[in-house]
């Protein structure tokens, strides 16, 4: 079980959160079709630090980004997402 | 040596002292016709069929750890072909037919037991889905029977089918040819059978790089030195992204994890594989008597092979509600396998943009049942350079072209499967 430090609520159990996607897979409407396909449907899938988008779904429901080591689950650099963040 | 009742009797009379080792421990040769990266079930069956069916002489399987030490030994051993999409019918039924002849084919008892694989239906919509799936299966020549609640209750007397049950049972869909197998035996049996045909199985040999000249692969770098090859096949599900990255490739795969756990062994109490897809709980009893349980994937990328307890708690709660007699059992162990999650839930068997380099992976959490079919199809691709018709839809570029095969229809995010 990971302990994820939500920037709004403090450290909370990982069961309260849902993973969305690696930050590299966030797409924007002005991207070319090739870039969209690459970002949506292929991954670096690293073993080690990965920058990811998560959501505190069963807590404050805010989106957050964090860096998580996919081998050790060590979490660093948690940041809020959104206007004013 | 060929295993038989006679060889067992002879060795028994001699106190079992003279069993020869099941496969050699060769030094890597400087060059092979085909190198398979990954000594799991899929890599070993591929090597076996390359030698047995396609007559390829010099084949090596390179395994970072030991044979069967990865996902082949980390699944819930369920074998079935009860899918809905025709492409998956063709793939999984080809595989199931090979399971049915496997022990004879490789002269090794894999304890394949066709005890029946039952999907439970808990609601009207569940039953509709199961009826549709069953019809699709029968239309493609695969056995399926829709069962009423009473028929399910008769088949599995310990199941709680009362009207007040936490998860009411309305019926089910059974594939009687489905069942379980001894997973370690599959790895050991194919390793031995491939070795007897001259395949070099090289353990403790991690691939650390790929030699690519002018867009063509010429060999691999390993912890035991460089090894040349005309063709290289990747069959390392769980670590596909890391190995493909050595060739500069990005894959439509995320590595997630799936947990499973077993109880202490008890006398026979469940002789069918019980599955429920609306709850996501899998219950079967191994031949040793342990109750084998599986549940949801952990739903985020990880290579840790260690899952979170709340996932186990959910699967255990569902299992207890379905079969209350399990409540006093003590759990012996739990473990997790790294699953190669593709973006539509279906696998890949395809050539890569690097000439001579081929890829097999993305089996999500359903790779064990496909073991012999995967090897059959991947060996065809490696030997002939073009895909078998059954494997043809499982292309790496299918997201670009829109030809995806999304069995449950949940969209592209791997954590939602």
């Amino acid at each position: 079980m990971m302990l994820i430090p939500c920037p709004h609520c403090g450290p909370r159990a990982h069961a309260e959160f849902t993973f969305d996607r690696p930050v590299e897979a966030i797409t924007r409407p002005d991207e070319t079709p090739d870039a969209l396909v690459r970002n949506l449907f292929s991954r670096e899938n690293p073993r080690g630090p990965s920058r990811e988008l998560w959501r505190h779904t069963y807590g404050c429901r805010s989106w957050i980004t964090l860096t998580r080591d996919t081998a050790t689950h060590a979490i660093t650099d948690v940041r809020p997402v959104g206007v004013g963040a | 040596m060929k295993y038989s009742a006679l060889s067992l009797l002879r060795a028994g009379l001699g106190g079992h002292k003279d069993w020869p080792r099941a496969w050699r421990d060769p030094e890597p040769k400087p060059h092979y016709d085909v190198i398979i990266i990954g000594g799991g079930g899929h890599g070993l069956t591929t090597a076996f069929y390359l030698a047995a069916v396609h007559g390829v002489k010099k084949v090596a399987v390179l395994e970072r750890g030991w044979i069967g030490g990865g996902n082949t030994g980390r699944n819930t051993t369920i074998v079935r072909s009860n899918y809905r999409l025709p492409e998956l019918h063709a793939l999984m039924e080809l595989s199931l037919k090979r399971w049915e002849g496997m022990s004879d084919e490789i002269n090794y008892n894999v304890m394949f037991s066709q005890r029946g694989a039952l999907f439970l239906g808990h609601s009207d919509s569940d039953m509709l889905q199961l009826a549709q799936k069953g019809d699709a299966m029968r239309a493609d020549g695969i056995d399926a029977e829709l069962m009423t609640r009473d028929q399910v209750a008769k088949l599995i007397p310990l199941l709680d089918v009362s009207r007040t049950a936490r998860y009411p049972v309305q019926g089910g869909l059974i594939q009687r040819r489905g069942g379980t197998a001894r997973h370690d035996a599959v790895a050991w049996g194919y390793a031995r059978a491939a070795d007897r045909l001259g395949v070099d199985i090289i353990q403790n040999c991690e691939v650390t790089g790929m030699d690519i000249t002018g867009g063509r692969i010429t060999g691999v770098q390993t912890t035991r030195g460089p090894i040349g090859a005309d063709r290289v096949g990747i069959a390392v599900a769980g670590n596909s992204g890391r190995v493909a990255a050595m060739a500069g490739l990005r894959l439509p795969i995320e590595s997630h994890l799936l947990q499973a756990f077993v109880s202490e062994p008890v006398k026979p109490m469940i002789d069918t594989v019980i599955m429920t897809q609306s709850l996501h709980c899998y219950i079967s009893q191994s031949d040793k008597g342990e109750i084998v349980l599986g549940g949801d994937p952990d739903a985020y990328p990880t290579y840790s092979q260690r899952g979170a307890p709340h996932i186990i708690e959910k699967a255990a709660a569902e299992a207890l509600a379905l079969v209350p007699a399990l409540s006093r059992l003590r759990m012996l162990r739990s473990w997790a396998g790294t699953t190669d999650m593709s973006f539509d839930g279906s696998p890949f068997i395809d050539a890569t943009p690097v000439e001579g380099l081929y890829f097999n992976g993305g089996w999500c959490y359903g790779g064990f049942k496909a073991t012999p079919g995967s090897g059959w199809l991947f060996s065809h691709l490696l030997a002939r350079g073009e895909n078998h018709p059954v494997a043809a839809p499982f292309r790496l570029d299918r997201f670009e072209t829109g030809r995806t095969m999304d069995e449950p229809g949940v969209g592209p995010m791997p954590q939602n499967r």
Side-chain angles (χ1 to χ4, degrees):
Chain A
M1 177 80 78
M2 294 182 282
L3 197 61
I4 300 180
C6 173
H8 309 286
C9 314
R12 294 295 185 97
H14 134 224
E16 293 182 15
F17 295 80
T18 43
F19 165 79
D20 191 79
R21 65 184 75 189
V23 165
E24 62 166 354
I26 297 174
T27 52
R28 289 172 181 78
D30 56 353
E31 283 174 24
T32 63
D34 282 351
L36 278 172
V37 166
R38 177 187 155 86
N39 293 341
L40 281 174
F41 297 121
S42 77
R43 294 284 188 272
E44 189 195 339
N45 198 15
R47 183 187 172 101
S50 177
R51 190 77 196 156
E52 296 172 338
L53 178 67
W54 285 67
R55 191 179 189 194
H56 195 183
T57 314
Y58 306 106
C60 66
R61 303 177 72 188
S62 298
W63 294 94
I64 57 174
T65 56
L66 49 81
T67 300
R68 190 177 57 93
D69 189 304
T70 59
T72 65
H73 291 178
I75 292 169
T76 52
D77 198 12
V78 186
R79 293 184 200 178
V81 171
V83 178
Chain B
M1 125 186 238
K2 190 168 158 56
Y3 295 156
S4 64
L6 189 64
S7 71
L8 185 62
L9 184 67
R10 268 204 203 113
L13 292 173
H16 290 296
K17 289 193 187 93
D18 299 320
W19 287 107
R21 62 180 303 150
W23 59 87
R24 297 165 295 131
D25 183 21
E27 283 300 312
K29 295 189 182 88
H31 190 273
Y32 289 92
D33 296 338
V34 178
I35 284 178
I36 312 289
I37 307 174
H42 291 228
L44 292 165
T45 50
T46 304
F48 171 74
Y49 291 125
L50 273 172
V53 176
H54 301 284
V56 180
K57 297 277 182 257
K58 288 171 69 184
V59 179
V61 176
L62 309 184
E63 167 54 45
R64 175 178 63 172
W66 64 95
I67 293 306
N71 287 335
T72 304
R74 288 172 175 269
N75 50 70
T76 50
T77 81
I78 298 167
V79 177
R80 57 186 176 87
S81 65
N82 52 355
Y83 285 76
R84 184 174 58 88
L85 298 176
E87 295 89 349
L88 291 165
H89 283 163
L91 173 66
M92 294 304 181
E93 184 60 14
L94 182 146
S95 193
L96 182 53
K97 290 210 169 97
R98 300 224 69 81
W99 276 105
E100 288 172 328
M102 186 185 290
S103 290
D104 284 338
E105 180 175 41
I106 60 176
N107 179 230
Y108 204 100
N109 185 3
V110 299
M111 298 163 90
F112 180 47
S113 159
Q114 293 179 292
R115 57 187 64 184
L118 174 72
F119 278 164
L120 293 177
H122 302 285
S123 62
D124 288 351
S125 62
D126 268 12
M127 291 310 296
L128 270 174
Q129 267 198 351
L130 292 178
Q132 187 205 28
K133 178 181 275 197
D135 284 349
M137 289 166 65
R138 290 164 69 110
D140 278 346
I142 302 171
D143 72 300
E145 269 171 63
L146 201 62
M147 298 179 94
T148 63
R149 190 178 69 125
D150 289 347
Q151 286 171 318
V152 169
K154 202 175 162 199
L155 182 71
I156 308 163
L158 291 174
L159 198 67
D160 184 0
V161 297
S162 65
R163 293 294 182 198
T164 54
R166 170 70 183 82
Y167 302 113
V169 173
Q170 285 205 12
L173 181 76
I174 190 165
Q175 180 180 29
R176 296 201 187 267
R177 288 162 61 239
T180 58
R182 172 89 203 278
H183 51 6
D184 297 323
V186 176
W188 300 334
Y190 274 99
R192 172 172 165 273
D195 177 85
R196 280 158 64 102
L197 296 174
V199 172
D200 281 357
I201 292 163
I202 302 160
Q203 302 180 72
N204 299 307
C205 179
E206 180 174 357
V207 171
T208 54
M210 296 198 192
D211 300 326
I212 296 167
T213 327
R216 185 178 175 84
I217 194 153
T218 56
V220 294
Q221 298 289 325
T222 78
T223 48
R224 294 173 70 171
I227 310 175
D230 295 336
R231 286 177 179 175
V232 175
I234 300 174
V236 295
N239 286 290
S240 292
R242 300 176 62 213
V243 174
M246 294 174 193
L249 304 175
R250 270 168 73 101
L251 299 174
I253 288 173
E254 279 178 9
S255 295
H256 288 211
L257 73 76
L258 180 66
Q259 304 185 69
F261 47 116
V262 296
S263 75
E264 59 192 324
V266 289
K267 288 190 174 172
M269 60 187 287
I270 295 171
D271 62 359
T272 309
V273 179
I274 308 169
M275 293 169 285
T276 153
Q277 290 202 307
S278 35
L279 307 179
H280 229 249
C281 175
Y282 300 78
I283 309 169
S284 64
Q285 187 168 22
S286 75
D287 289 336
K288 274 190 286 185
E290 302 148 326
I291 303 295
V292 185
L293 299 168
D296 279 326
D298 274 36
Y300 56 90
T302 175
Y303 290 89
S304 65
Q305 292 187 322
R306 202 181 55 208
H310 66 276
I311 306 285
I312 292 186
E313 190 177 0
K314 175 174 176 286
E318 290 172 357
L320 294 196
L322 291 168
V323 185
L326 298 176
S327 67
R328 303 295 291 273
L329 288 183
R330 283 165 297 188
M331 286 299 143
L332 270 191
R333 41 201 171 88
S334 75
W335 65 92
T338 310
T339 53
D340 242 27
M341 301 302 290
S342 70
F343 291 92
D344 61 357
S346 296
F348 304 99
I349 301 174
D350 200 3
T352 72
V354 178
E355 210 181 323
L357 181 65
Y358 297 87
F359 180 75
N360 176 343
W363 291 92
C364 296
Y365 34 78
F368 179 70
K369 67 172 85 74
T371 303
S374 164
W376 183 266
L377 299 170
F378 198 37
S379 65
H380 186 283
L381 177 61
L382 280 160
R384 304 192 185 189
E386 59 184 47
N387 235 331
H388 188 285
V390 169
F394 298 93
R395 295 170 60 96
L396 279 164
D397 68 357
R398 64 176 181 260
F399 299 99
E400 235 168 290
T401 57
R403 294 188 176 89
T404 57
M405 284 160 289
D406 187 350
E407 168 90 4
V410 297
M413 286 308 187
Q415 68 269 24
N416 296 337
R417 312 209 151 265

